[in-house]
Amino acid sequence: MSTNYTPEMDPRKVTTHRLSEMKRSGIKIVALTAYDALISKILDESGIDLILVGDSLGNVVQGYETTIPVTLEHTIYHTKAVANGCSRPLIIADMPFMSYQVSPEEAFRNAGRIMKEANAAGVKVEGCKMVVEAIRQMNEAGIPVMGHLGLTPQSIHKFGSYRARGKDVIEAEQIYSDALQLQEAGAFAIVLEKIPAELGKKITEALTIPTIGIGAGPYCDGQILVYTDMLGLTVDFHPRFVRRYTNLHETVKKAFSDYAEDVRKGKFPHEEESY
Ligand code: KIV
């Protein structure tokens, strides 16, 4: 369902409760990633509902091939910066690899640090079996948790590729039953990554909590993309699910090389640009 809703109609800070209301009213949830205050301010001005400080910061900001090297300190640093730049969007931070899988107690302590030190309104964790107890306990302690099923990038070394998940019946049934378990444990929403649209639909219809899709088709309650992908800043990553709304890589490259040429030719600065 599409609606005529615009964020100006509701300028209040977005909460996890608001996301549930949005699902019930058929208002699509709009989410993007951010890693700093400059971008989170622009996302806020653009009416984005949810900002995820994704551990994609490992790829986007830090230049790693995977999200595995991201640490709790990195997450806290970037989440603080994002929180400093915006006021309306709900800010959720990804818990880094091995900051929540070892034990519910450790998950608890680390999620608490992300909320206390970085001003996040909740955290996101990947998978089901290893995290379901941690989600239950965090939820009871007042820490909102978002799940993440389908393609789970922190398990790249287990799966060996970033292929779509849930294309065969057994995997699809597993993802479906994991989604129900995460909801039962108290997750407030679930990211569904790179799964067939029909599976995204089935899960979205079965859950009372919102689903946020990335490569999971149009039926999810909301959509998320990595902001550098949709701006066309990343050039060597072309999954089908990324729509490029602009080609900032070319625009920025041209500005940098025009500047370099001006400096080299003595054309910058002009008299009006000098004291
Ligand atoms: O790390 C991330 O940016 C994510 C999104 C792709 C959902 O998990």
Side-chain angles (χ1 to χ4, degrees):
M1 191 206 315
S2 70
T3 65
N4 294 324
Y5 170 85
T6 64
E8 292 76 36
M9 293 173 183
D10 191 354
R12 287 173 299 170
K13 183 155 183 65
V14 180
T15 60
T16 56
H17 285 271
R18 179 73 191 120
L19 297 192
S20 305
E21 280 168 23
M22 288 169 84
K23 173 169 180 135
R24 284 196 298 275
S25 320
I27 299 170
K28 291 279 187 184
I29 298 161
V30 186
L32 281 171
T33 66
Y35 318 99
D36 61 38
L38 178 75
I39 294 296
S40 73
K41 185 169 189 302
I42 302 175
L43 296 186
D44 194 352
E45 288 167 5
S46 314
I48 302 304
D49 301 308
L50 187 158
I51 298 181
L52 174 71
V53 187
D55 60 356
S56 49
L57 83 88
N59 312 105
V60 174
V61 179
Q62 299 172 320
Y64 292 118
E65 286 212 344
T66 73
T67 58
I68 306 285
V70 175
T71 67
L72 188 65
E73 303 309 321
H74 299 153
T75 299
I76 290 172
Y77 175 91
H78 286 278
T79 306
K80 241 187 237 178
V82 165
N84 288 343
C86 65
S87 53
R88 180 181 170 273
L90 180 72
I91 301 172
I92 302 299
D94 248 335
M95 293 196 74
F97 180 63
M98 280 304 135
S99 69
Y100 57 94
Q101 292 94 336
V102 176
S103 70
E105 290 71 31
E106 208 166 294
F108 220 67
R109 199 173 311 117
N110 290 334
R113 278 196 64 196
I114 293 172
M115 291 183 70
K116 277 169 83 91
E117 296 175 37
N119 221 2
V123 295
K124 173 165 85 58
V125 297
E126 293 185 6
C128 180
K129 201 166 162 216
M130 293 294 290
V131 299
V132 76
E133 192 44 42
I135 293 179
R136 199 181 307 283
Q137 293 192 23
M138 287 195 275
N139 183 47
E140 273 170 25
I143 300 174
V145 188
M146 183 183 231
H148 184 155
L149 297 172
L151 172 63
T152 46
Q154 290 179 9
S155 306
I156 177 62
H157 294 305
K158 176 178 165 195
F159 291 107
S161 84
Y162 291 110
R163 68 168 174 80
R165 303 284 191 264
K167 288 177 100 172
D168 65 75
V169 178
I170 294 177
E171 210 172 49
E173 278 175 2
Q174 186 65 57
I175 295 169
Y176 179 81
S177 76
D178 286 354
L180 293 176
Q181 266 201 72
L182 294 187
Q183 170 172 274
E184 189 274 324
F188 74 85
I190 301 179
V191 167
L192 297 173
E193 180 162 356
K194 219 172 174 183
I195 60 168
E198 277 308 313
L199 179 57
K201 181 171 191 262
K202 188 174 161 198
I203 294 172
T204 301
E205 285 173 358
L207 296 184
T208 55
I209 58 171
T211 57
I212 313 285
I214 172 162
Y219 308 107
C220 294
D221 299 303
Q223 298 290 331
I224 185 163
L225 286 173
V226 169
Y227 90 87
T228 47
D229 295 337
M230 57 84 74
L231 291 184
L233 272 169
T234 36
V235 280
D236 41 13
F237 182 61
H238 297 285
R240 190 196 303 188
F241 62 78
V242 171
R243 183 180 297 175
R244 293 206 150 84
Y245 284 84
T246 180
N247 185 351
L248 270 200
H249 184 268
E250 276 314 305
T251 309
V252 171
K253 198 166 90 180
K254 181 167 182 328
F256 288 158
S257 42
D258 287 352
Y259 166 71
E261 190 178 316
D262 285 354
V263 171
R264 289 188 187 115
K265 291 191 170 158
K267 290 184 176 170
F268 177 82
H270 279 153
E271 227 174 272
E272 319 83 79
E273 290 159 331
S274 307
Y275 297 94

